[in-house]
Amino acid sequence: RPTPHGTLATTASIMADARTGLELLLHAPDKETVLALMDDSFLCRETGWTVDHCRQVANQLNIPEGQPPPSIAALHASAALLIKEALYSNPKSTEEIDELFPSGFHPKLKGLLIKVLAARLGPWREQIVSSPFVTTPRLKDFDWVVNPTSTGIVGVGAKDVTAIIRLTVQQSRLNAAVIPDDVHVALEVDRETLGEMVDTFAGIRDQLAAMTTK
């Protein structure tokens, strides 16, 4: 199953960079604190924690002042990354959630976080869907070019002509204060596939036209 960065194995590689931040949760006095901080990280996943909020979290984690301060902001960034990866990959079981974590991750903390994600992914997803600021990706622009020397499609010979369709898409908007970036996607299609796409788009056009004339 794809993720924003590739396979679940790739996701685990990305999460390896977040290990230090997440392991600050080992300072939490109880499971409820971990759950509350993960909920908080979800709510602030786009905006981050303020300096004052980071101080409050440090107090929750019983991290005394005067010691070399761990990066509470890194905790939030790591937790938010884990949440985003889990939401996108949409794991169907605790075993699939386990695959999000890199090897060597603290076993007890991983077990707790797996339980938190298993319990909270559904409610978090519902909050995202019900948010008035959430938008689906938008097609902003597209162009195409004939590619007479392509060999990228299985079953298409070197002399067969294909087309490259280039799309510019604005990503989903998840927060009113954050304008999502554009992504650029290139599709290579042969004549048969292009014909199927045109027929499908024509059917969509006809259905929309029929609905607007009722």
Side-chain angles (χ1 to χ4, degrees):
R1 181 171 59 257
T3 72
H5 309 282
T7 64
L8 282 171
T10 306
T11 299
S13 176
I14 294 166
M15 289 307 304
D17 295 333
R19 177 185 302 177
T20 301
L22 286 172
E23 288 186 347
L24 288 175
L25 292 171
L26 292 169
H27 292 272
D30 49 46
K31 298 177 182 179
E32 289 72 21
T33 301
V34 174
L35 175 58
L37 289 175
M38 291 298 289
D39 271 329
D40 199 20
S41 295
F42 166 77
L43 292 173
C44 301
R45 63 192 181 281
E46 301 293 344
T47 58
W49 287 340
T50 65
V51 174
D52 287 341
H53 195 78
C54 286
R55 292 195 184 100
Q56 294 174 13
V57 172
N59 290 333
Q60 285 182 279
L61 297 178
N62 297 319
I63 298 175
E65 295 183 6
Q67 291 187 357
S71 177
I72 300 299
L75 165 59
H76 170 266
S78 300
L81 176 61
L82 174 61
I83 290 167
K84 290 178 182 179
E85 294 289 340
L87 285 168
Y88 194 93
S89 61
N90 193 26
K92 303 299 184 183
S93 64
T94 54
E95 289 77 15
E96 290 187 358
I97 297 175
D98 181 83
E99 293 179 35
L100 295 171
F101 294 88
S103 60
F105 194 91
H106 192 283
K108 289 186 177 180
L109 179 59
K110 180 174 71 171
L112 176 56
L113 289 174
I114 288 174
K115 291 180 181 178
V116 170
L117 291 173
R120 299 301 296 159
L121 282 177
W124 287 340
R125 193 171 288 109
E126 289 178 5
Q127 287 186 51
I128 292 173
V129 172
S130 62
S131 170
F133 305 116
V134 172
T135 62
T136 56
R138 292 178 54 246
L139 177 63
K140 296 183 66 176
D141 193 16
F142 74 95
D143 64 359
W144 58 274
V145 62
V146 172
N147 184 26
T149 59
S150 170
T151 56
I153 299 178
V154 176
V156 176
K159 295 182 179 180
D160 292 315
V161 178
T162 62
I164 304 294
I165 302 174
R166 297 181 292 232
L167 309 177
T168 300
V169 180
Q170 185 180 70
Q171 299 183 86
S172 298
R173 186 167 189 166
L174 303 179
N175 187 296
V178 179
I179 298 176
D181 294 330
D182 293 342
V183 294
H184 302 279
V185 180
L187 306 175
E188 183 180 10
V189 294
D190 57 21
R191 182 175 178 178
E192 181 180 356
T193 302
L194 186 59
E196 293 174 354
M197 292 172 62
V198 170
D199 291 342
T200 300
F201 288 140
I204 296 172
R205 178 200 60 199
D206 294 343
Q207 184 174 351
L208 292 176
M211 294 175 66
T212 56
T213 55
K214 289 182 178 180

